[in-house]
């Protein structure tokens, strides 16, 4: 059973809702991401969504836009986000999910992204796409 399936099964058995925390990878600094993931898990997050910053985050609110801009200024890339997620995985067993836009993934490469995110033990990868 996957981590996410096990988490939702546990929540259902306990009759409670889950808490999914959201963190922008690289905010406030890239090296802080694994520790922030660990802190969120220790504080009760049932799963953690890691946002890969994007330069044109149209679907995000002001807070995530500002965090993304700071992370990008700090040098966060898809590759570095994958490395941070891999380091975070070593600190917790809670499900880790990536959230991003399609554009950075296409620039990184779909196959390399899938392979690297699987290697980092990310259980889900969600993307926002604004197509014609």
């Amino acid at each position: 059973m996957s981590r996410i399936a096990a988490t939702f099964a546990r929540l259902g058995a306990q009759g409670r809702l889950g808490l999914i925390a959201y963190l922008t990878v690289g905010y406030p600094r890239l090296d802080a991401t694994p520790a922030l993931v660990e802190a969120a898990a220790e504080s009760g997050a049932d799963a953690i969504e890691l946002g890969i910053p994007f330069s044109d985050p149209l679907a995000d609110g002001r807070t995530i836009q500002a965090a993304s801009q700071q992370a990008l200024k700090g040098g966060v890339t898809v590759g570095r986000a994958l490395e941070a997620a891999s380091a975070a995985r070593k600190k917790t067993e809670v499900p880790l999910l990536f959230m991003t836009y399609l554009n950075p993934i296409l620039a990184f490469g779909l196959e390399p992204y899938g392979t690297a995110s699987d290697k980092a033990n990310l259980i889900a990868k969600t993307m926002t796409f604004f197509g014609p």
Side-chain angles (χ1 to χ4, degrees):
M1 182 181 293
S2 73
R3 281 187 179 100
I4 195 84
T7 297
F8 281 110
R10 176 180 50 82
L11 291 169
Q14 295 171 348
R16 69 179 191 89
L17 300 175
L19 173 65
I20 301 176
Y22 179 89
L23 300 169
T24 298
V25 176
Y27 179 84
R29 297 178 330 275
L30 185 60
D31 65 338
T33 299
L36 291 171
V37 168
E38 182 179 29
E42 289 176 354
S43 297
D46 296 297
I48 301 168
E49 187 177 27
L50 298 170
I52 299 176
F54 178 52
S55 61
D56 196 17
L58 296 176
D60 293 318
R62 297 177 102 181
T63 301
I64 293 175
Q65 288 177 2
S68 291
Q69 292 306 310
Q70 184 171 332
L72 291 169
K73 286 179 186 175
V76 176
T77 62
V78 173
R80 288 183 172 167
L82 286 160
E83 291 168 4
S86 185
R89 168 52 59 223
K90 295 174 185 168
K91 296 185 172 285
T92 184
E93 290 299 312
V94 302
L96 299 178
L97 308 93
F98 257 163
M99 175 61 187
T100 190
Y101 291 76
L102 183 59
N103 310 55
I105 303 309
L106 290 175
F108 187 79
L110 287 173
E111 190 170 323
Y113 173 74
T115 300
S117 59
D118 286 346
K119 191 174 182 179
N121 286 312
L122 296 168
I123 54 95
K125 304 109 186 170
T126 57
M127 291 178 235
T128 302
F129 173 70
F130 292 103

